[in-house]
């Protein structure tokens, strides 16, 4: 009896050893497959890195070449023809940056966009220098009309509901932002408008507005909104850049090539942008797709040169948040139920 039991145990042990030996090749084969996959993954990663480096090198060379060409045109910009050529090449430079945002490092992207901003400012200044000087002329004006206008344009005077305000334009010489020369400044509790004929390819500055609604119908070249409080700004397609600085509790609707938001808080932005939006030193910024519309907006989009089918409204770079595995706490996507806005 004991002999039979021993024989059975030996037989079972032999079967178990045979099974273990059969599993060894399977484990080795699995381990080899995993090793091969890891080698392939590292190889692919190295190749991707090399491709990105090649793209970055190409971008750096192309950007430097085109920037030098634009700077040369601006330095010798004694005719509108040269300035228009500079503007066209500057748009090509902006497109180069837009097409490269997916592989550029944040630092390189920032440097490129800052260089573009400087060139765009210089272009605006050169255009202003070449504009014909306004001649002084006396104008006959009824005394009572002048008095009424003076009262209506008094700083801080609230406008009646539904009545458009007509504050004086920004000064063209001296002071901060003198190169922008067009827009509204130091206005409170008013409805402000500019039409397409006034806006076309102009550089627009809105500064120190409080509790205002601003409607900009048309196609500006650039838009800058600074020191605004509790304002709603609705703007047609902007050919190049939009800048927000030191704003709070505002709503902005805009389409543009590039958006830069600095030192701004608690602001909703309805956006169409062909490159990435950038926020810096901000908090409580919410993004949603651009939804404002008005008669003639299709024509304005055509004139702006923007690619209407391309919208990176939710692709945002936060220069104060470098962690790639965690979302920035400084901006977020506006929930869909909060996007239903009555613009008019």
């Amino acid at each position: 009896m004991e002999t039979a039991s021993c024989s059975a145990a030996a037989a079972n042990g032999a079967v178990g050893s045979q099974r273990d030996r059969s599993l060894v090749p399977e484990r080795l084969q699995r381990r080899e497959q995993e090793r091969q996959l890891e080698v392939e993954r590292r190889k692919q990663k190295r190749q991707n890195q090399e491709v990105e480096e090649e793209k970055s090198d190409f971008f750096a060379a192309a950007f430097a070449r085109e920037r030098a060409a634009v700077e040369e045109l601006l330095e010798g910009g004694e005719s509108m023809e040269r300035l228009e050529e500079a503007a066209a090449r500057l748009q090509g430079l902006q497109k180069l940056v837009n097409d490269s945002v997916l592989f550029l490092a944040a630092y390189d992207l920032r440097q490129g966009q800052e260089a573009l901003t400087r060139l765009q400012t210089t272009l605006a200044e050169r255009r202003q220098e070449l504009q014909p000087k306004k001649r002084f002329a006396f104008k006959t004006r009824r005394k009572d009309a002048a008095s009424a206008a003076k009262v209506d344009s008094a700083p801080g005077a609230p406008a009646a509901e539904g009545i458009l305000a007509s504050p004086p334009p920004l000064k063209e010489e001296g002071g901060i932002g003198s190169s922008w020369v067009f827009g509204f400044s130091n206005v409170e509790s008013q409805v402000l408008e500019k039409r397409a004929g006034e806006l076309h390819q102009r550089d627009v500055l809105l500064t120190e507005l409080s509790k205002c609604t601003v409607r900009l119908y048309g196609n500006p070249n650039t838009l800058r909104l600074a020191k605004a409080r509790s304002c709603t700004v609705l703007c047609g397609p902007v050919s190049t850049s939009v800048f927000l600085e030191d704003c709070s509790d505002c709503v902005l609707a805009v389409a543009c090539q590039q958006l830069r938001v600095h030192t701004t808080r608690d602001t909703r932005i309805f956006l169409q942008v062909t490159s990435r939006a950038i926020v810096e030193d901000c908090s409580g910024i919410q993004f949603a797709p651009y939804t404002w519309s008005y008669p003639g907006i299709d024509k304005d989009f055509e004139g702006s040169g923007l690619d209407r089918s391309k919208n990176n409204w939710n692709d945002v770079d936060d220069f104060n948040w470098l962690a790639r595995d965690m979302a920035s706490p400084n901006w977020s996507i506006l929930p869909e139920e909060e996007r239903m806005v009555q613009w008019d």
Side-chain angles (χ1 to χ4, degrees):
M1 190 74 174
E2 290 180 2
T3 303
S5 299
C6 289
S7 298
N12 290 334
V15 171
S17 298
Q18 218 171 23
R19 186 184 302 112
D20 290 341
R21 283 196 299 271
S22 67
L23 289 175
V24 169
E26 292 180 10
R27 284 198 294 267
L28 290 175
Q29 186 177 8
R30 191 181 307 116
R31 188 176 301 169
E32 177 63 17
Q33 288 176 344
E34 292 173 353
R35 189 187 70 82
Q36 292 285 355
L37 287 173
E38 179 64 18
V39 169
E40 186 63 28
R41 187 186 67 79
R42 290 181 180 178
K43 180 181 177 181
Q44 187 64 41
K45 182 179 180 181
R46 186 168 59 252
Q47 289 176 344
N48 291 341
Q49 186 175 356
E50 290 173 355
V51 169
E52 288 195 1
E53 289 174 355
E54 289 177 2
K55 288 181 178 179
S56 297
D57 292 342
F58 171 80
F59 168 82
F63 188 89
R65 183 176 61 251
E66 284 301 301
R67 180 176 62 182
V70 172
E71 288 173 346
E72 183 179 354
L73 287 167
L74 292 176
E75 287 173 3
E78 299 176 356
S79 68
M80 288 304 296
E81 289 76 12
R82 288 180 67 87
L83 291 187
E84 291 309 315
E85 183 182 350
R89 298 193 76 149
L90 195 52
Q91 284 199 349
L93 201 56
Q94 178 72 67
K95 186 176 187 303
L96 176 64
V97 173
N98 294 346
D99 293 341
S100 305
V101 294
L102 295 179
F103 61 82
L104 280 181
Y107 174 80
D108 294 332
L109 178 62
R110 181 177 184 177
Q111 292 295 105
Q113 290 177 328
E114 287 177 353
L116 279 171
T117 300
R118 289 192 295 269
L119 291 173
Q120 288 162 355
T121 301
T122 303
L123 175 62
E125 291 172 349
R126 294 290 185 273
R127 279 175 167 165
Q128 181 61 26
E129 290 171 1
L130 289 182
Q131 284 182 0
K133 301 296 182 181
K134 294 181 179 179
R135 295 184 177 181
F136 179 79
F138 290 101
K139 292 184 179 180
T140 304
R141 183 181 297 178
R142 290 180 58 187
K143 187 174 180 180
D144 54 348
S147 301
K150 186 175 181 180
V151 172
D152 289 344
S153 61
E161 185 175 357
I163 302 299
L164 300 182
S166 300
L170 295 174
K171 294 182 179 179
E172 297 192 5
E173 296 181 1
I176 186 169
S178 59
S179 63
W180 301 84
V181 307
F182 185 78
F184 300 105
S185 181
N186 295 294
V187 183
E188 181 178 353
S189 303
Q190 296 189 9
V191 179
L192 311 169
E193 285 190 1
K194 292 290 184 183
R195 292 289 170 177
E198 302 172 278
L199 281 181
H200 184 66
Q201 288 301 300
R202 297 289 297 271
D203 299 306
V204 179
L205 171 64
L206 308 173
T207 181
E208 297 187 90
L209 305 181
S210 177
K211 300 177 183 177
C212 290
T213 296
V214 184
R215 300 188 187 97
L216 304 174
Y217 302 95
N219 167 219
N221 181 49
T222 61
L223 169 65
R224 183 174 180 179
L225 176 64
K227 299 180 181 179
R229 303 288 181 265
S230 303
C231 291
T232 296
V233 178
L234 313 176
C235 186
V238 178
S239 292
T240 57
S241 301
V242 174
F243 306 92
L244 268 72
E245 184 175 12
D246 192 20
C247 298
S248 63
D249 302 298
C250 291
V251 175
L252 171 68
V254 70
C256 57
Q257 278 191 349
Q258 171 191 339
L259 173 71
R260 184 81 174 265
V261 187
H262 190 259
T263 57
T264 294
R265 62 179 178 82
D266 302 327
T267 292
R268 291 181 292 166
I269 301 175
F270 294 80
L271 179 66
Q272 175 156 343
V273 64
T274 54
S275 66
R276 293 182 181 180
I278 294 174
V279 299
E280 186 174 15
D281 299 326
C282 295
S283 64
I285 309 298
Q286 293 182 298
F287 289 93
Y290 181 71
T291 54
W292 190 47
S293 185
Y294 56 87
I297 193 172
D298 293 337
K299 182 180 178 181
D300 291 334
F301 262 106
E302 290 177 7
S304 71
L306 297 179
D307 183 354
R308 205 168 183 180
S309 65
K310 188 174 183 180
N311 190 3
N312 299 320
W313 66 272
N314 57 351
D315 194 357
V316 181
D317 281 333
D318 184 352
F319 283 166
N320 297 109
W321 189 258
L322 302 180
R324 295 188 175 185
D325 56 340
M326 295 179 62
S328 167
N330 300 316
W331 70 273
S332 61
I333 301 299
L334 185 67
E336 290 192 16
E337 61 271 16
E338 298 179 29
R339 299 178 191 175
M340 303 301 294
V341 179
Q342 295 295 328
W343 299 118
D344 297 325

